[in-house]
Amino acid sequence: MPTGRQLVAYSTLAFFCLFFLSSGLTSPDDLWQRLTTTRTPDFSRYTPPQTLSDTQFPIHDPHKRVIILGDVHGMDKPFHALLAKLSYDPSSDVLMHVGDIVAKGPHEGSMAVLSYMAAHNVTGVRGNHDQMVIEWRSWLDWIAGLDGGAHWLRELHADLAAAGPEDPEAWAQKHLKHGHRRKWGRRIPDGWKILSDHYRVAHAMSAVEYRYLLSLPLVLHVPAAHAFIAHGGILPSDPRYKPYHRRQPLARVPALPKSAKHNKADPGKQLSLLRRLQEAAVLAHVPQNRDPWVTLNIRGVLDDNSVTRTKDGEPWADIWNRDVSSCVGFEAHLHLHRTERSTPALPCYPATVVYGHAAARGLDVKRWSVGLDSGCVYNRHLSALVLDSKLQKSPFEADAVELDVEARKKITIPFGEGSGRVVTVSCKD
Ligand SMILES: *[C@@H]1O[C@H](CO)[C@@H](O)[C@H](O)[C@H]1NC(C)=O
């Protein structure tokens, strides 16, 4: 007969064997990890880049317009004023946005803009503020699913309503320091401010509105216009290497997939496929563009080649314009002599980036980039880029540019191989 001690030893061993088997773990290190970390889910819920078809971005359809809005930030009145000024007609206009549709502006405005965007399933990208709202909602859903979590949340909101503090964020900091609330307060990730603007939108929005925000990808690729839409921006090349280094997507002609090779009869089709592949490679193979933080927040690149969201460093749009201005095309590059290839001539075609996020720079139109955040939430302007097939056919005439938004409120700008227009409204009360 085994002694009591042996029994304890056997059963302990059996328990751990079962634990290992049931949890599928192989080493004590894994077990230790599992027992010591409180697992929190990934709240970010990113949606990877998506590609728009020619019908989703009908830039060559003579009966349609594409309208891309700058950062709205819940400024509901200017948003509708701009739609009115454009004589927006949903049956012929495709409305889009560059992200940051909510937060920073008035709460009711954020809810109204979000409701409109979700109800009309407006195509767009996610902004860094939309992202914070998503993360809070995903956190709220997680908390509500924990034992006692839903009860705690209801209590928090009841206490908030009773206290009616001037500054809910500061109130929450103090409120969560006491008693059983401390335990829940510790579930809030570091640096997050409960009851903030973003939290309140996250808490108030409907399931449909949440699903809409989740559907917004980090970047949109528009082969029909040779364009990208990203909230912060994207880089044309990995800044750690020269733009003509062979690892850079714009420095090498992409390989045609086998299925397309027999299609030699149509060089036009083949060229547009190659361009599309090369543009997709900029998103997929420049490592910074695969980092969601970068596409949501980038403003510049520092001397050490790291990406920054501050005003320091070289603006990423300058880097973009410099690199793509060196594109000479596949054919022309092939015919350059080897020695000439060391000069910055790249086997590529220029593409345009439409973005928001940089209110400090205001409306920022460059040859191959259009920054649309003209600071509406700071009582400046709300801007939209308008593209139609007529303007696409007319190449941009340099004399026409007039960036004095105040003076004209409607300007013609270069866009891709043709032109576009920027239309703005004032956001002053
Ligand atoms: C919204 O539009 C996208 C395409 O832009 C589509 O894939 C999606 O199914 C639509 N969602 C709803 C709820 O209609």
Side-chain angles (χ1 to χ4, degrees):
M1 285 290 285
T3 64
R5 241 170 133 171
Q6 277 171 321
L7 265 181
V8 171
Y10 287 140
S11 50
T12 309
L13 188 65
F15 171 80
F16 273 102
C17 286
L18 272 175
F19 191 92
F20 277 109
L21 286 173
S22 65
S23 56
L25 295 172
T26 48
S27 78
D29 283 350
D30 286 343
L31 176 63
W32 178 246
Q33 187 91 38
R34 182 96 158 222
L35 292 175
T36 51
T37 52
T38 14
R39 293 202 149 211
T40 51
D42 174 17
F43 300 121
S44 51
R45 310 207 52 188
Y46 295 122
T47 297
Q50 284 172 2
T51 304
L52 293 183
S53 69
D54 297 8
T55 43
Q56 287 171 313
F57 200 98
I59 194 177
H60 300 296
D61 182 336
H63 307 293
K64 299 236 154 139
R65 285 192 305 182
V66 174
I67 298 170
I68 310 175
L69 293 168
D71 307 36
V72 181
H73 280 299
M75 299 295 279
D76 192 43
K77 254 203 212 155
F79 168 52
H80 287 283
L82 184 53
L83 292 185
K85 180 167 182 171
L86 289 161
S87 310
Y88 169 65
D89 174 359
S91 69
S92 56
D93 293 331
V94 176
L95 190 62
M96 298 193 187
H97 64 77
V98 299
D100 277 4
I101 54 177
V102 293
K104 283 178 107 166
H107 176 77
E108 295 69 30
S110 285
M111 299 318 295
V113 171
L114 178 55
S115 161
Y116 183 98
M117 298 287 184
H120 297 84
N121 195 20
V122 176
T123 305
V125 290
R126 215 181 266 199
N128 54 313
H129 287 276
D130 311 321
Q131 180 62 30
M132 287 160 84
V133 170
I134 286 172
E135 292 183 6
W136 269 120
R137 179 57 169 255
S138 141
W139 179 88
L140 278 166
D141 289 352
W142 172 67
I143 284 288
L146 298 181
D147 204 12
H151 174 75
W152 170 70
L153 270 178
R154 275 195 302 276
E155 202 178 74
L156 174 72
H157 281 269
D159 290 350
L160 173 70
E166 190 107 327
D167 180 350
E169 270 180 63
W171 173 84
Q173 297 294 319
K174 272 198 235 137
H175 185 74
L176 291 173
K177 280 211 171 79
H178 305 290
H180 77 289
R181 303 181 206 129
R182 273 176 71 129
K183 174 184 119 185
W184 291 103
R186 276 201 296 270
R187 306 258 187 187
I188 301 170
D190 286 345
W192 290 29
K193 301 254 167 21
I194 196 163
L195 302 186
S196 63
D197 214 4
H198 305 93
Y199 174 93
R200 286 183 303 126
V201 175
H203 189 258
M205 70 184 171
S206 69
V208 170
E209 288 158 356
Y210 180 34
R211 263 205 303 282
Y212 169 74
L213 284 185
L214 285 175
S215 77
L216 299 177
L218 291 160
V219 183
L220 283 168
H221 174 207
V222 190
H226 300 296
F228 300 96
I229 305 172
H231 178 69
I234 57 172
L235 288 175
S237 54
D238 182 344
R240 292 170 302 172
Y241 304 91
K242 298 281 186 218
Y244 47 82
H245 191 286
R246 80 200 128 65
R247 73 168 64 220
Q248 310 282 17
L250 293 181
R252 49 176 203 260
V253 182
L256 269 183
K258 277 208 179 71
S259 57
K261 280 201 175 124
H262 67 273
N263 201 1
K264 284 228 164 61
D266 189 343
K269 246 193 192 143
Q270 216 170 55
L271 178 62
S272 83
L273 176 60
L274 286 173
R275 286 185 71 173
R276 183 194 179 102
L277 289 169
Q278 194 177 42
E279 286 159 12
V282 168
L283 291 185
H285 297 152
V286 173
Q288 290 78 7
N289 296 340
R290 286 203 303 259
D291 177 347
W293 184 87
V294 171
T295 58
L296 288 169
N297 292 286
I298 186 170
R299 287 210 175 84
V301 174
L302 298 173
D303 284 344
D304 67 359
N305 299 318
S306 65
V307 167
T308 175
R309 58 161 299 150
T310 69
K311 275 172 249 158
D312 305 325
E314 185 174 19
W316 70 265
D318 291 354
I319 302 173
W320 180 271
N321 278 274
R322 187 170 62 232
D323 271 25
V324 303
S325 298
S326 306
C327 292
V328 295
F330 301 142
E331 230 6 67
H333 190 261
L334 204 61
H335 296 125
L336 287 177
H337 289 297
R338 285 220 165 270
T339 50
E340 289 169 329
R341 283 197 199 172
S342 57
T343 63
L346 298 171
C348 51
Y349 297 80
T352 307
V353 187
V354 182
Y355 65 102
H357 188 57
R361 306 185 67 83
L363 184 64
D364 195 8
V365 178
K366 294 185 160 68
R367 182 62 190 88
W368 301 108
S369 61
V370 186
L372 286 174
D373 188 355
S374 41
C376 184
V377 76
Y378 304 114
N379 295 324
R380 303 212 307 264
H381 298 94
L382 183 62
S383 300
L385 171 64
V386 182
L387 302 169
D388 64 39
S389 63
K390 200 165 75 255
L391 284 167
Q392 274 306 292
K393 280 191 208 110
S394 65
F396 174 71
E397 287 163 35
D399 297 348
V401 81
E402 165 65 91
L403 276 183
D404 187 354
V405 186
E406 268 300 340
R408 304 244 326 244
K409 302 267 163 81
K410 207 182 216 184
I411 56 174
T412 305
I413 62 160
F415 185 86
E417 280 132 43
S419 330
R421 268 189 307 134
V422 174
V423 177
T424 73
V425 291
S426 170
C427 298
K428 289 198 182 77
D429 289 331

